[in-house]
Amino acid sequence: MSNSSSGNVGIVIVSHSSKIAEGAADMVRQMVGNAVPLAWTGGDADGGLGTNVAGILEAIEAAWSSAGVAILVDLGGAETNSEMAVEMLAEDRRARVVVCNAPVVEGAVIAATESSGGSSLAAVKRSAEEFYA
Amino acid sequence: MSLDRGAREKLVRALAASMIEHAEELTSLDQAIGDGDHGLNMKRGFEAVLATLPGLADKALPEMLKAIGMTLVMKVGGASGPLVGTFFMELGKALPEQPARTDLVAAADKAIDAVKMRGRSEAGQKTLLDVLVPVQAVFAGGGDAKAIAAEAAQAADRTTPMLATRGRASFLGERSIGHMDPGSRSASLLISAAIAALEFEATS
């Protein structure tokens, strides 16, 4: 998990596999650089495959930006757990976090690229989701 | 229905015991059409719930249910954590401390709606809703404990020939047919365990 403070939209990568989450984050770092707050989480509470709400909440915190946070997820449970995590945020933060309907790796790279240019949360989400359009 | 502290603790122990005892069965169901971790996940979640006893049973029923839900959300992992956790949390939010049957029916309605929203799912898609919805219909229609438990078991069985259109099993398409939905099975087990614990309490 890594962090950098900026006014750019933060990116959180959530995968059932911590290796995929970490690897996708590595890709984002190498391709986009450090201008974007970035965090990842993967695996269940015991370190097995899965996702967990507590880990997602920590990642949102680590990637927090005043511009908001975009979450990229892989399979169904990652999405459901991410939505649950968003609902558990304090009210003033909840509206500034979105779960993107996009492929996790490509979505994370394009979302981070969009974010690094200072785009809004809505624009970051839209760019990531164009992969499914 | 009046649930004193002893009854609340008995209820929690019964729910946890059913998931721990059936962990392997649930996992093998999930290996057929999911990612093979449902039993382990539910076991982990309810072991975490058990670890909060006896303090958990000191809480009033609504607070206890909310606490169970939160622990499941945090510990289960996988989609079943938020789904089953949401059910308990919403049930807790909607119930008074000493619920009458009508309160339970109304609260279960709200909790089921919350599960539908959380999973963006309806009955008929081979998920735990295929147990929750028909069981609720029997409960709301005045069915006794025996009828409710029977419906829970039959409803889980009825997911076997269903085609999954939501959840991990939906990736398998036609191949999801012929296997019982693991989430339906765990929901059925939890309902039966709750009924057994509460009935025993009422008659002892």
Side-chain angles (χ1 to χ4, degrees):
Chain A
M1 212 170 281
S2 57
N3 192 6
S4 72
S5 59
S6 78
N8 290 336
V9 171
I11 307 295
V12 166
I13 298 169
V14 181
S15 169
H16 280 59
S17 157
S18 62
K19 288 180 181 174
I20 287 177
E22 184 179 12
D26 272 350
M27 252 179 92
V28 170
R29 268 285 169 261
Q30 292 194 29
M31 298 174 87
V32 185
N34 293 316
V36 177
L38 175 68
W40 57 269
T41 179
D44 63 31
D46 291 345
L49 292 180
T51 57
N52 75 91
V53 172
I56 296 167
L57 283 168
E58 279 174 30
I60 293 171
E61 187 61 37
W64 185 257
S65 156
S66 56
V69 170
I71 306 178
L72 281 300
V73 301
D74 58 3
L75 301 169
E79 184 183 24
T80 314
N81 272 318
S82 295
E83 288 171 352
M84 192 90 206
V86 171
E87 282 177 33
M88 287 164 66
L89 292 171
E91 204 168 332
D92 61 324
R93 291 196 161 192
R94 209 176 298 152
R96 287 190 277 168
V97 182
V98 294
V99 180
C100 301
N101 180 23
V104 64
V105 177
E106 295 88 338
V109 172
I110 201 73
T113 305
E114 187 72 54
S115 165
S116 70
S119 295
S120 68
L121 181 61
V124 168
K125 182 172 192 277
R126 195 163 51 240
S127 289
E129 292 183 346
E130 274 169 12
F131 270 99
Y132 278 164
Chain B
M1 184 181 72
S2 169
L3 280 188
D4 63 16
R5 194 195 170 289
R8 293 195 295 272
E9 179 164 348
K10 188 174 293 174
L11 174 63
V12 172
R13 289 193 185 283
L15 295 173
S18 76
M19 289 299 98
I20 292 166
E21 279 165 23
H22 290 88
E24 278 184 34
E25 178 202 337
L26 292 169
T27 286
S28 53
L29 287 173
D30 198 32
Q31 277 165 349
I33 57 169
D35 49 8
D37 60 2
H38 187 59
L40 188 66
N41 283 343
M42 295 300 282
K43 179 169 176 274
R44 175 176 49 231
F46 276 94
E47 280 173 347
V49 170
L50 270 186
T52 63
L53 284 174
L56 182 64
D58 292 337
K59 298 178 192 286
L61 183 65
E63 275 62 46
M64 184 183 91
L65 292 168
K66 281 187 263 182
I68 291 171
M70 186 57 79
T71 300
L72 294 177
V73 166
M74 287 301 184
K75 296 289 183 187
V76 169
S80 48
L83 293 171
V84 181
T86 292
F87 183 83
F88 278 94
M89 284 164 70
E90 296 298 321
L91 204 57
K93 280 186 207 166
L95 277 180
E97 281 190 24
Q98 300 287 343
R101 185 182 170 110
T102 51
D103 297 319
L104 272 171
V105 169
D109 261 338
K110 286 188 180 163
I112 290 168
D113 282 346
V115 173
K116 287 179 181 174
M117 280 179 65
R118 169 75 52 217
R120 289 194 287 278
S121 182
E122 292 288 337
Q125 296 185 296
K126 201 173 176 107
T127 73
L128 79 168
L129 284 169
D130 290 307
V131 165
L132 297 182
V133 170
V135 167
Q136 171 69 357
V138 172
F139 183 40
D144 61 9
K146 202 174 158 189
I148 294 167
E151 178 62 21
Q154 287 160 17
D157 278 337
R158 290 198 301 266
T159 67
T160 301
M162 285 184 181
L163 172 71
T165 55
R166 192 79 182 109
R168 186 71 49 84
S170 65
F171 294 2
L172 293 176
E174 299 280 329
R175 281 183 291 137
S176 65
I177 294 171
H179 303 278
M180 188 190 295
D181 173 56
S184 294
R185 176 63 175 153
S186 55
S188 160
L189 287 167
L190 289 172
I191 290 164
S192 299
I195 287 172
L198 297 175
E199 269 230 301
F200 178 75
E201 185 59 29
T203 54
S204 66

